[in-house]
Amino acid sequence: MTGKPDLTRDTIVAFLADIFDRRGGEEYLGEPVTMAEHMLQGATIAEQNGLPEDIIVATLLHDIGHFTSEFGTFSMDDTEDRFHEDAGAEVLAPFFPSVVTDCVLYHVAAKRYLCATRPEYFERLSEASIHSLNLQGGPMSAEEVAAFEQNPNLEKIIQVRYLDEAGKRDDMETPDFHHFAPMVQRIVDQHMAAT
Ligand SMILES: [Fe+2]
């Protein structure tokens, strides 16, 4: 492990593209898509539906934390699936607006939230997603639901969660990361200019 890469606003997008290019073909456990296909499908569906760029980019990057070993900040004891949402949000936080990092950070919590509040949501979960739900603590309690609803980005967090579920198709063609790269850079540049 070589330590955290020295990322800047000018290198973060290439850093992410490189992860997609080298590691994107890895299996998304229990699903009929690779990790890259999963994230690209969700982002493509968001783009086809005319959703805002922050939603498209958040969906594109929501599982980037599965590649924690690329970030140089986590120990060898970390398993690939453990708190991947924390890892992803942490690497994105310096460069992306909080709406994007919140969508990444809370995409697992959003599943627990929706299972507690929308019975029909549970029906659409894949088998692998139900399995991980149990590992992640199951549906939220009433107290957890009330606390989660305080998040100002709640609506977008939920939208990204639905796109996450949608991006598990074995029959969908998508553009690759490089199609989205200028959009990702735009979000970074807007954020850095505003801070
Ligand atoms: Fe996902």
Side-chain angles (χ1 to χ4, degrees):
M1 198 158 291
T2 54
K4 195 174 178 119
D6 217 357
L7 295 170
T8 70
R9 67 186 283 183
D10 297 319
T11 59
I12 179 72
V13 179
F15 171 77
L16 296 168
D18 182 56
I19 293 175
F20 269 77
D21 289 345
R22 284 186 299 105
R23 312 256 333 252
E26 291 177 15
E27 192 181 350
Y28 183 10
L29 214 61
E31 305 288 359
V33 285
T34 65
M35 287 305 305
E37 283 167 348
H38 168 56
M39 294 192 279
L40 288 163
Q41 285 185 7
T44 300
I45 293 166
E47 186 175 47
Q48 287 169 348
N49 283 283
L51 295 176
E53 293 197 340
D54 52 7
I55 292 273
I56 299 170
V57 168
T59 306
L60 178 70
L61 301 175
H62 79 273
D63 271 335
I64 200 74
H66 277 292
F67 305 109
T68 46
S69 60
E70 303 285 337
F71 305 164
T73 52
F74 292 82
S75 80
M76 295 301 283
D77 298 332
D78 288 346
T79 62
E80 200 172 303
D81 254 307
R82 189 186 298 169
F83 305 129
H84 70 278
E85 63 275 27
D86 296 350
E90 185 178 324
V91 82
L92 299 178
F95 308 105
F96 291 85
S98 64
V99 60
V100 170
T101 48
D102 272 4
C103 288
V104 174
L105 183 59
Y106 296 118
H107 77 271
V108 171
K111 177 167 72 169
R112 298 184 55 233
Y113 172 78
L114 289 168
C115 286
T117 56
R118 301 186 191 178
E120 77 282 3
Y121 172 80
F122 184 81
E123 301 296 316
R124 65 170 65 209
L125 289 182
S126 64
E127 212 173 299
S129 202
I130 292 170
H131 176 72
S132 59
L133 171 70
N134 294 326
L135 296 175
Q136 290 151 352
M140 281 184 175
S141 67
E143 295 76 35
E144 288 174 309
V145 164
F148 197 62
E149 287 176 342
Q150 298 303 309
N151 191 306
N153 295 315
L154 179 68
E155 206 174 310
K156 288 190 172 181
I157 292 167
I158 288 170
Q159 265 183 305
V160 168
R161 184 66 224 187
Y162 275 100
L163 290 158
D164 183 353
E165 300 314 328
K168 299 177 179 180
R169 294 171 44 176
D170 61 3
D171 61 347
M172 185 179 172
E173 293 283 326
T174 72
D176 68 11
F177 181 90
H178 299 270
H179 165 79
F180 295 101
M183 188 190 295
V184 179
Q185 188 68 59
R186 218 159 29 242
I187 296 286
V188 170
D189 289 344
Q190 282 163 10
H191 176 64
M192 301 309 274
T195 52

